[in-house]
Amino acid sequence: MQEYIGKNTDRERLIRYIRSHSRNGQARVTHSSVPAREITLAHIIGISDPAVYHNLGLDIGFHEGNDPRGNSIGILHMTPPETVVIAADISTKMGEIDLSFMDRFSGALIITGPRADVTVAIEECVRYFKEELRYTVCPISDR
């Protein structure tokens, strides 16, 4: 099978291959995901163009009318996804942070605020999850 996947093949050819090598021409293919305890993305965007805020939808709802100029964006992605609630709590205690987007079903958190506060919030989240909760964490990237 490794040889087959290594070639440039399409989905139909792969399905035919699996069926031809299975009992009775039937195959059961499953995709499973086991949520680990990890932070898979921790990124800080420095002072961002207002168009970034608009295209991310960070200027709607509660934040409508806010002027994003001079603010930075912090992004976290973690599993299990419910842990973004903890990260959001930590973030808001680290400075003048706005919770711009939080999804406890996908594990995504976007925070905005002054660059120093966003940096401290992301660093503290990564530190807490690594040291206190024993999560596997990625390095923090920034621009």
Side-chain angles (χ1 to χ4, degrees):
M1 179 108 167
Q2 289 296 337
E3 296 173 357
Y4 189 81
I5 292 176
K7 298 177 184 174
N8 290 328
T9 61
D10 62 4
R11 187 170 185 246
E12 290 300 318
R13 287 181 59 200
L14 179 59
I15 291 170
R16 280 195 304 272
Y17 176 84
I18 292 170
R19 285 186 178 150
S20 69
H21 288 81
S22 63
R23 276 188 265 163
N24 301 329
Q26 295 181 352
R28 183 175 189 189
V29 178
T30 61
H31 173 77
S32 60
S33 174
V34 179
R37 294 170 8 132
E38 61 187 349
I39 295 178
T40 57
L41 174 67
H43 186 75
I44 300 165
I45 299 172
I47 297 173
S48 185
D49 187 280
V52 174
Y53 287 83
H54 177 71
N55 288 321
L56 287 173
L58 302 180
D59 60 348
I60 60 173
F62 177 75
H63 297 99
E64 188 172 3
N66 285 359
D67 185 6
R69 287 180 289 186
N71 279 344
S72 294
I73 300 172
I75 305 168
L76 288 173
H77 182 265
M78 51 188 51
T79 57
E82 300 86 358
T83 56
V84 298
V85 176
I86 298 168
D89 179 57
I90 292 169
S91 296
T92 58
K93 293 175 180 174
M94 293 294 109
E96 295 194 29
I97 297 297
D98 283 325
L99 296 177
S100 296
F101 179 78
M102 178 175 71
D103 186 352
R104 69 181 192 273
F105 301 108
S106 72
L109 176 68
I110 299 176
I111 60 173
T112 56
R115 172 71 184 237
D117 291 346
V118 169
T119 300
V120 168
I122 296 293
E123 288 173 347
E124 179 58 19
C125 285
V126 170
R127 185 209 64 78
Y128 179 81
F129 279 87
K130 179 179 182 179
E131 295 177 11
E132 303 295 328
L133 299 179
R134 306 283 188 232
Y135 273 45
T136 301
V137 300
C138 66
I140 299 171
S141 57
D142 65 6
R143 272 320 252 164

